Amino acid sequence: MPTIEHHDTTVRVRYAETDQMGVVYHANYLIWFEVGRVELMRALGIEYKCMEADDDCHIVVADVRCRYHHSARYDEVLRVRTRIAESRNRIVKFAYQVFRDTDGQLLATGETTHIICGSNGKPKLLPQKYRAILMTNGVVASDRSGA
């Protein structure tokens, strides 16, 4: 089973992601968080598409936080660092840092909290095959409530 402290992926700021002054629109950081999250999961051997199709397991965003430190601009290459901040039976939290690749400047930090749900929208337990991987690679929270 792979163990990863964090996973880095890069994105290049596209023109469509910026305002008239060439500065990245704030909501695009959330898209990059998703890119980082999907690539971390892929690096751990988990594919969202298979989770949904094979196990009726959806990772639904319940909370998002983003703190902006510096602006990103058109055509810059950014490094999105993603890690599993916490893992429970029904909840997974991811933490993110976005850096400018050329100089390592921290541009944004964030966190997303996800509830594991079936296609019916109701919370469910994360299947053991995924739980083992996520809990090995993240902070395991005490889980008395079953969350």
Side-chain angles (χ1 to χ4, degrees):
M1 177 176 333
T3 302
I4 298 175
E5 181 179 328
H6 64 263
H7 185 269
D8 286 354
T9 191
T10 57
V11 294
R12 182 178 295 274
V13 177
R14 297 170 296 185
Y15 187 76
E17 295 168 322
T18 66
D19 61 19
Q20 195 171 16
M21 296 177 3
V23 175
V24 170
Y25 177 68
H26 70 278
N28 287 305
Y29 288 85
L30 303 182
I31 294 168
W32 298 333
F33 288 178
E34 180 185 3
V35 170
R37 185 170 62 249
V38 168
E39 293 307 320
L40 168 63
M41 299 284 278
R42 190 182 316 277
L44 291 170
I46 300 172
E47 292 189 41
Y48 272 172
K49 181 172 57 173
C50 293
M51 287 180 78
E52 293 175 352
D54 300 343
D55 299 299
D56 187 33
C57 186
H58 301 262
I59 301 177
V60 178
V61 176
D63 188 51
V64 175
R65 299 172 195 273
C66 187
R67 170 81 167 95
Y68 304 97
H69 302 280
H70 296 280
S71 297
R73 298 186 173 275
Y74 170 65
D75 206 38
E76 290 181 330
V77 175
L78 308 180
R79 184 169 19 101
V80 181
R81 176 165 290 165
T82 308
R83 67 180 178 82
I84 300 169
E86 185 179 317
S87 183
R88 299 184 189 188
N89 292 328
R90 292 186 176 113
I91 296 173
V92 180
K93 292 184 180 182
F94 295 88
Y96 311 89
Q97 295 173 300
V98 179
F99 300 93
R100 184 179 304 111
D101 203 45
T102 55
D103 62 4
Q105 176 75 55
L106 179 64
L107 304 178
T109 53
E111 186 176 271
T112 56
T113 301
H114 303 259
I115 307 291
I116 309 306
C117 292
S119 56
N120 62 2
K122 294 185 180 189
K124 66 182 273 182
L125 290 176
L126 183 64
Q128 180 57 36
K129 64 183 178 182
Y130 303 122
R131 193 176 330 147
I133 294 169
L134 295 178
M135 288 184 169
T136 298
N137 288 282
V139 175
V140 179
S142 69
D143 212 354
R144 291 192 184 111
S145 68

